[in-house]
């Protein structure tokens, strides 16, 4: 289990912040993959889809940490 806070340069940073940074990178990679395959042609609102994808990935990572 990961600690609730991580010390970086003597400043405590919540683990959720780090998970959201990792989630943003994962969302970017999934977004590039979906754009390459052409899936966005079937999506009604691509910006809304990207935002919800970010929320789902960050939420899943956070649940994995805080379980």
């Amino acid at each position: 289990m990961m600690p609730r806070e991580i010390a970086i340069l003597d400043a405590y940073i919540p683990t959720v912040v780090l998970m959201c940074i990792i989630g943003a990178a994962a969302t970017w990679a999934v977004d590039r993959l979906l754009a390459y395959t052409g899936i966005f042609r079937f999506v009604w609102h691509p910006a809304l889809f990207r935002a919800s994808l970010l929320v789902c990935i960050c939420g899943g990572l956070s649940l994995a940490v805080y379980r």
Side-chain angles (χ1 to χ4, degrees), residues 8-52:
I8 297 178
L9 298 175
D10 293 332
Y12 287 108
I13 297 176
T15 308
V16 172
V17 173
L18 296 175
M19 289 296 112
C20 286
I21 292 171
I22 293 169
T27 301
W28 178 78
V30 171
D31 180 46
R32 292 293 99 205
L33 179 69
L34 292 175
Y36 178 74
T37 58
I39 301 270
F40 282 124
R41 288 182 288 159
F42 304 108
V43 174
W44 172 68
H45 200 286
L48 185 61
F49 181 79
R50 287 180 177 114
S52 63

Side-chain angles (χ1 to χ4, degrees), residues 1-4 14-24 54-67:
M1 182 171 194
M2 289 186 73
R4 303 278 179 175
T15 308
V16 172
V17 173
L18 296 175
M19 289 296 112
C20 286
I21 292 171
I22 293 169
L54 175 67
V55 168
C56 289
I57 289 176
C58 287
L61 288 173
S62 297
L63 283 175
V65 169
Y66 286 108
R67 193 160 245 213

